[in-house]
């Protein structure tokens, strides 16, 4: 019996950590690839199923380790194919994970923290405060759960998840090590084997961490800009007072320069009615980004209860976009998805927790697919 010592959750171990783990057991390093493949490609969470691992080693593993995934407390599919999960990580701590299909692509939006400390004024996650960082197992566990809901699938024919964006709850650069470990599994050939171009870290701009990131990985980058000048950005993204726009864009260029291939950064810009969506803002944005290889993602604001902001009309959104495209920028408009199964991004957890609190009723996990 294991004498009360906490078992290692193998779900969150990157290749390097898994190899170190097997070495610590006196085993060969190649066991790491085998076990990573069982866990992440075959969705196995039980050592008995790992048939190319000897019975003796399986028993040893079961004693000291476990494969523990987040608990799905809510799962639904919207009319447009968007899937949403609420995953409970520990008592009272849930996050939201969303899969957005789009033609040949399916993008999984993954959370990195329970809550968020940045308190951007337009974001519902910030209003709930910061609780704690997710472990690497809890981050990659979101991919594991989402992928498993498609199994069994033929890996060669079907790619149920083609892209991952770290755009769920939390600021990924403030949970650096766990996010980096989880992303390394997303890209690992023995795990999810997603191209580095299709794994995107989104940040509000923690400049020193962004520089560190560029030294150790080469995922794609999205910057949550939301304003074309410091005065306005200070009010929307409080972190801007610490790392203003010029510093953030300089760090962004340094990051792109470190990449071996030519890539653009995605600039995210949430359009809020009458606040940052005027033609003069679009013109300032064009000037500001002149030397930054980028594409711009325009996101019409998703209203939520505690906020006084409004979503601009489609006319205003298009007018903003027209100024960008006239200046030669690719400016895509992110259309709201999955609206029929819940409200805006980041609110599902809130609704879910409020509802459980009110009724204290058991909510059945919906089996889908
Ligand atoms: N902290 C990271 C990751 C969180 S995702 C970051 O700031 O990038 C952040 C993204 O969620 C923002 O770029 C914005 O695109 C989106 N977002 C948050 N609240 C929103 C809202 N109410 N309406 C529309 N988009 C929102």
């Amino acid at each position: 019996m294991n004498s009360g010592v906490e078992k290692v959750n193998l779900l969150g171990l990157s290749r390097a950590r898994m190899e170190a783990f097997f070495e610590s057991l006196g085993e060969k390093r190649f066991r790491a690839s085998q076990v990573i493949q069982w866990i992440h490609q075959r969705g196995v969470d039980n050592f008995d199923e790992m048939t190319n691992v000897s019975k003796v080693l399986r028993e040893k593993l079961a004693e000291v380790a476990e494969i523990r995934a987040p608990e799905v407390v809510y799962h639904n599919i919207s009319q447009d194919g968007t899937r949403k999960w609420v995953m409970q990580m520990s008592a009272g701590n849930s996050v939201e994970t969303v899969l957005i299909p789009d033609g040949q692509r399916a993008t999984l939006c993954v959370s990195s923290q329970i809550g968020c400390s940045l308190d951007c004024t337009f974001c519902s996650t910030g209003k709930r405060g910061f609780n704690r960082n997710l472990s690497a197992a809890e981050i990659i566990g979101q991919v594991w759960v989402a992928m498993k809901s498609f199994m069994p699938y033929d890996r060669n024919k079907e790619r149920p998840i083609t892209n991952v964006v770290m755009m769920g709850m939390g600021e990924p650069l403030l949970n650096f090590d766990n996010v980096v470990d989880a992303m390394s599994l997303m890209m690992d050939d023995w795990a999810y084997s997603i191209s580095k171009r299709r794994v995107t870290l989104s940040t509000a701009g923690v400049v020193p961490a962004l520089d560190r990131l560029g030294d150790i990985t080469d995922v794609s980058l999205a910057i949550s800009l939301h304003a074309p000048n410091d005065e306005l950005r200070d009010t929307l993204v409080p972190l801007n007072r610490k790392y203003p726009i010029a510093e953030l864009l300089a760090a962004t260029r340094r990051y792109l320069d470190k990449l071996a291939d030519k890539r653009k950064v995605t600039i995210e810009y949430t359009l809020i009615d009458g606040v940052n969506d005027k033609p003069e803002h679009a013109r300032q944005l064009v000037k500001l980004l002149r030397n930054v290889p980028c594409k711009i993602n325009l996101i019409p604001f998703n209203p939520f209860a505690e906020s006084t902001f409004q979503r601009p009309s489609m006319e205003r959104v298009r007018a903003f976009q027209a100024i960008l495209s006239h200046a030669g920028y690719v400016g895509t408009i992110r259309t709201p998805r999955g609206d029929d199964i819940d409200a805006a991004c980041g609110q599902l957890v809130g609704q879910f927790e409020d509802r459980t609190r009110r009724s204290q009723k058991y909510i059945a996990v919906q089996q889908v697919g």
Side-chain angles (χ1 to χ4, degrees):
M1 274 307 288
N2 182 284
S3 52
V5 179
E6 213 179 307
K7 293 184 174 184
V8 185
N9 189 1
L10 300 190
L11 183 67
L13 298 193
S14 62
R15 167 178 302 279
R17 287 188 203 280
M18 190 75 91
E19 284 174 354
F21 167 77
F22 276 103
E23 277 184 336
S24 77
L25 292 183
E27 296 288 335
K28 293 267 178 346
R29 289 159 71 98
F30 76 89
R31 294 284 175 209
S33 307
Q34 286 182 324
V35 169
I36 284 179
Q37 196 173 26
W38 279 111
I39 298 173
H40 296 288
Q41 291 191 356
R42 309 214 179 158
V44 164
D45 57 1
N46 180 343
F47 296 114
D48 286 340
E49 288 177 54
M50 302 183 177
T51 49
N52 58 358
V53 176
S54 73
K55 190 150 187 286
V56 177
L57 179 54
R58 287 191 327 240
E59 279 167 6
K60 189 151 125 194
L61 285 174
E63 259 176 44
V64 298
E66 61 182 349
I67 301 156
R68 188 164 32 85
E71 185 192 349
V72 176
V73 289
Y74 174 87
H75 179 198
N76 211 339
I77 306 185
S78 96
Q79 294 288 326
D80 63 15
T82 303
R83 291 170 182 243
K84 300 207 177 189
W85 292 264
V86 174
M87 301 192 198
Q88 187 170 302
M89 302 302 185
S90 50
N93 286 326
S94 303
V95 297
E96 185 179 318
T97 308
V98 185
L99 183 69
I100 305 145
D102 184 12
Q104 293 298 305
R105 276 210 290 195
T107 302
L108 190 71
C109 181
V110 168
S111 296
S112 58
Q113 297 181 314
I114 310 264
C116 188
S117 59
L118 295 184
D119 202 20
C120 300
T121 47
F122 56 89
C123 176
S124 65
T125 302
K127 301 284 160 269
R128 308 181 67 81
F130 173 70
N131 196 342
R132 67 168 172 86
N133 279 334
L134 293 181
S135 66
E138 290 168 333
I139 298 168
I140 201 67
Q142 297 167 60
V143 184
W144 188 89
V145 165
M147 198 69 102
K148 200 173 158 86
S149 74
F150 290 94
M151 285 178 177
Y153 63 91
D154 182 340
R155 288 193 69 251
N156 298 320
K157 284 199 192 127
E158 202 184 330
R159 300 300 299 261
I161 297 168
T162 59
N163 298 57
V164 177
V165 290
M166 299 298 306
M167 284 183 197
M169 295 167 69
E171 168 51 50
L173 288 184
L174 293 179
N175 184 12
F176 194 90
D177 293 342
N178 294 337
V179 165
V180 165
D181 275 3
M183 292 191 309
S184 80
L185 282 167
M186 293 169 198
M187 297 184 284
D188 195 304
D189 281 345
W190 293 86
Y192 299 97
S193 176
I194 299 172
S195 143
K196 61 190 177 185
R197 301 176 73 97
R198 291 166 178 256
V199 172
T200 301
L201 183 142
S202 175
T203 180
V206 190
V207 166
L210 185 51
D211 281 325
R212 261 175 80 205
L213 188 75
D215 292 335
I216 58 170
T217 188
D218 54 1
V219 296
S220 290
L221 185 65
I223 297 290
S224 288
L225 192 64
H226 312 304
N229 61 65
D230 283 324
E231 198 188 351
L232 183 54
R233 193 165 191 266
D234 279 351
T235 68
L236 297 176
V237 182
L239 184 68
N240 195 66
R241 292 176 209 143
K242 200 161 179 191
Y243 306 115
I245 292 175
E247 279 183 39
L248 175 55
L249 293 182
T252 301
R253 274 193 300 265
R254 285 196 294 275
Y255 186 88
L256 294 179
D257 285 344
K258 285 180 199 165
L259 299 176
D261 55 343
K262 252 202 170 151
R263 244 183 285 168
K264 290 180 173 167
V265 61
T266 301
I267 299 291
E268 292 165 276
Y269 197 104
T270 299
L271 287 164
I272 307 167
D273 194 33
V275 174
N276 63 356
D277 67 338
K278 298 175 185 154
E280 72 210 52
H281 294 132
R283 286 192 287 269
Q284 272 183 41
L285 190 61
V286 165
K287 267 199 204 141
L288 183 69
L289 297 176
R290 197 178 288 146
N291 297 317
V292 184
C294 65
K295 48 191 185 237
I296 303 168
N297 199 353
L298 299 174
I299 308 146
F301 172 70
N302 276 319
F304 56 95
E306 303 95 319
S307 173
T308 52
F309 290 146
Q310 306 288 322
R311 180 185 291 185
S313 66
M314 255 343 253
E315 239 181 321
R316 277 180 84 93
V317 173
R318 291 224 178 81
F320 196 95
Q321 183 195 32
I323 295 170
L324 301 183
S325 59
H326 194 71
Y329 286 92
V330 179
T332 51
I333 300 172
R334 195 194 289 171
T335 46
R337 300 288 302 260
D339 275 2
D340 55 322
I341 50 175
D342 56 70
C345 66
Q347 288 180 70
L348 185 56
V349 166
Q351 288 178 9
F352 185 82
E353 285 178 352
D354 293 345
R355 208 167 31 183
T356 8
R357 229 171 279 135
R358 258 203 319 273
S359 64
Q360 291 297 313
K361 267 195 217 139
Y362 172 71
I363 298 175
V365 176
Q366 280 178 266
Q367 295 290 346
V368 197

